[in-house]
Every structure is written in C-alpha cells, then in structure tokens.
C-alpha cells in the first residue's frame, strides 16, 4: 500500500532494531523502502541490508555534507550499481545551509568540492541509466544549473530522478518538474508552519509525487521530535490527502506506482 522512498536504516538509531522496524512497517501497510547511502564507507551495509530483505532496495552515493570520506569516481559508482538491489545514485546534490554555523564560515565558492562530486554522480547515473536521488538545501540555483549543464533536461538521455525531502519554493518545484524530476515530500509537510510546502504539495502532478520519511529524522506529526521510522510514512500520505482532496490510500497507491516507474530496477 505505502512505499517509503527514502530512509536511512543503517543509521545507529534504527540499525540495531530491524525486527521491530519491519514489524511496525507491516502493521502500517508500508510494503517497501529505499535504503539510502550517504558515504561509500556506509554503502556495503546499505547494500547488504537491501540484499537481505525482499522489500528493501539500496542506492550508492555520497551525501553533499559528508566530508573527509572516500570520494568515488564514475567507475566506482558504476561498479556499485552492478550489485544486487542497487537501483539509484545518491543521495547526492548540494547543501549550502548555514554556511557560518555548519560549515565553518566558508562561502559558496569554497564548496566547489560539492559541485564536483555532484557532477560525478550525475555522470555515473546517466551512464548506468538509473535515477538520481537529489538533496538540495539552500542551493537550488546551483543544483538546477548543474543538472542542466550535465544534460538533465528531461530528454531520452537524462538520468532523471527525485528531489527528495523537498523544502524549496514553488518555482524550484516547477523547474524540477520541467526537467522531468519527481518531488518527494517528507514529514515536514505535516508541520503547521510549512505553508509554502503545503502549496507545493498541491501543484505536483499525481504521476510525479513520492512520499518518504527520511528516517530516523523528521518524524511527522504526531511523532514530531521522536525517532522516525518507515512505519510513519502513512502520516505523510494522510496530510497530502488533506491538501490534495483525496484519501491516504489513494496517495499510497499513486506514490507506490510512481516509485516502481522511477526506480525501474525494482522488481
């Protein structure tokens, strides 16, 4: 019924409690989950988890905020994508959020390494013919520009993919959709103060919508502030149903179908 298109089940908050996580997923009718890689050091654990369970899949990639980690080239990413249950490149992208507080006072010019990494990931996805899982935070102009420069225009040769945990503006959402990308909404859409995101939630076409938890973070209302889990993704669907004038079950159906279509290696 429901598919969690983005979660981090190898993170310490959840990794040691997989039996409970899976039992709660089943009880909540969450039938599938995509387990996300944030470093190549973490990737073997992510891939092994997906290989262990028939309803989990994996990505291969390095999060833009991961520093001091192994930097894969295109060939290494392509090799990772040949392993069982690996269906996408990511999570990748750009993050310029709180340059002073989180990035030691550096400026955007200092973040060239993020942009270089992003290009490598895009090129690997295009060569492999798999989608990208994109993280963009306070960096939408550069994210969109690099995608365009790398040929991601929605054409036949595009990798395509999803802007995960979307928190940007309506204008960015429209630009992403025009480039052929999907938009995934997380528990943030259940927050009362996320007004612009509520508007974004109504403009995404049915056939480009995904839902996610980004577990173990960003638990939806009524669990806000607690450890998130894939079992909570129906709460995202319920809020989207309110905003879009439909049912949570319908949101579950269309987003699950979209997941299968976008991540075509899922079987």
């Amino acid at each position: 019924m429901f598919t969690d298109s983005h979660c981090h089940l190898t993170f310490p908050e959840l990794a040691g409690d997989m039996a409970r996580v899976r039992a709660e997923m089943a009880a909540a009718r969450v039938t599938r989950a995509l387990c996300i890689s944030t470093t190549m050091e973490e990737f073997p654990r992510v891939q092994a988890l997906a290989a262990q369970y028939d309803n989990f899949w994996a990505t291969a990639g390095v999060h833009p905020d991961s520093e001091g980690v192994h930097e894969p080239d295109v060939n290494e990413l392509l090799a990772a994508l040949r392993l069982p249950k690996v269906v996408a490149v990511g999570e990748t992208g750009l993050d310029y959020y709180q340059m002073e507080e989180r990035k030691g006072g550096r400026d955007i010019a200092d973040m060239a390494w993020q942009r270089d990494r992003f290009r490598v990931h895009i090129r690997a996805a295009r060569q492999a013919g798999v989608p990208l899982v994109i993280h963009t935070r306070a960096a939408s102009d550069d994210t969109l520009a690099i995608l365009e420069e790398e040929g991601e225009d929605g054409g036949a040769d595009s990798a395509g993919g999803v802007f995960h945990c979307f928190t940007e503006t309506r204008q960015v959402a429209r630009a992403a959709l025009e480039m052929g990308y999907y938009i995934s909404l997380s528990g943030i859409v259940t927050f009362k103060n996320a007004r612009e995101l509520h508007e974004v939630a109504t403009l995404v076409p049915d056939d480009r919508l995904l839902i996610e938890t980004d577990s173990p973070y960003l638990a939806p209302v009524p669990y806000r502030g607690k450890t998130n889990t894939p079992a909570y993704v129906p709460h995202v669907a319920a809020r989207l149903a309110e905003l879009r004038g439909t049912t949570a079950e319908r949101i579950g159906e269309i987003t699950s179908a979209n997941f299968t279509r976008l991540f075509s290696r899922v079987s």
Side-chain angles (χ1 to χ4, degrees):
M1 171 63 73
F2 299 101
T3 299
D4 186 353
S5 69
H6 192 111
C7 57
H8 299 277
L9 301 187
T10 56
F11 282 16
E13 295 90 336
L14 297 173
D17 207 6
M18 201 51 52
R20 179 186 63 82
V21 167
R22 289 181 56 78
E24 291 178 354
M25 285 176 63
R29 298 183 296 164
V30 180
T31 57
R32 299 182 296 180
L34 182 59
C35 304
I36 303 296
S37 168
T38 60
T39 67
M40 295 310 292
E41 289 86 347
E42 177 199 21
F43 169 71
R45 299 193 302 277
V46 177
Q47 191 272 332
L49 183 66
Q52 183 176 356
Y53 297 107
D54 63 0
N55 60 339
F56 287 170
W57 287 267
T59 69
V62 185
H63 190 288
D65 263 346
S66 295
E67 292 192 61
V69 297
H70 176 67
E71 203 70 61
D73 61 15
V74 169
N75 287 334
E76 185 173 352
L77 289 170
L78 291 175
L81 289 162
R82 288 193 286 269
L83 294 173
K85 306 292 290 289
V86 184
V87 301
V89 171
E91 119 184 46
T92 184
L94 303 175
D95 192 314
Y96 300 161
Y97 181 65
Q98 291 185 337
M99 296 294 293
E100 185 67 34
E101 300 91 330
R102 297 172 66 242
K103 296 179 172 64
R106 289 175 290 182
D107 61 25
I108 290 173
D110 296 323
M111 309 308 288
W113 58 273
Q114 279 195 2
R115 295 185 287 276
D116 292 343
R117 175 188 289 169
F118 188 26
R119 291 182 189 277
V120 168
H121 283 62
I122 295 168
R123 292 167 189 174
R126 287 169 64 84
Q127 286 192 38
V130 300
L132 291 152
V133 176
I134 295 177
H135 169 112
T136 183
R137 193 175 189 193
S140 57
D141 287 348
D142 279 359
T143 300
L144 292 168
I146 289 172
L147 286 168
E148 184 176 5
E149 290 166 10
E150 293 292 329
E152 287 297 297
D153 57 5
D157 294 332
S158 295
V162 57
F163 279 58
H164 105 91
C165 193
F166 194 86
T167 56
E168 302 293 337
T169 65
R170 288 167 291 176
Q171 290 75 19
V172 175
R174 290 191 182 98
L177 291 167
E178 287 173 3
M179 297 173 82
Y181 280 77
Y182 290 64
I183 301 291
S184 181
L185 297 171
S186 70
I188 296 173
V189 79
T190 70
F191 301 170
K192 288 183 179 179
N193 62 351
R195 294 182 184 87
E196 185 158 30
L197 192 59
H198 297 160
E199 295 179 12
V200 169
T202 65
L203 69 84
V204 180
D206 279 358
D207 63 354
R208 297 286 195 84
L209 183 66
L210 293 173
I211 53 176
E212 65 173 270
T213 60
D214 206 8
S215 309
Y217 309 120
L218 302 175
V221 175
Y223 302 103
R224 187 174 182 180
K226 298 181 179 180
T227 299
N228 203 0
T229 169
Y232 295 163
V233 81
H235 294 278
V236 179
R239 181 59 177 134
L240 284 173
E242 293 174 358
L243 293 165
R244 294 168 71 95
T246 185
T247 65
E249 288 73 17
R250 175 63 178 159
I251 296 295
E253 289 170 2
I254 63 175
T255 55
S256 290
N258 293 342
F259 179 86
T260 302
R261 184 169 62 254
L262 176 60
F263 299 104
S264 60
R265 292 186 177 186
V266 170
S267 59

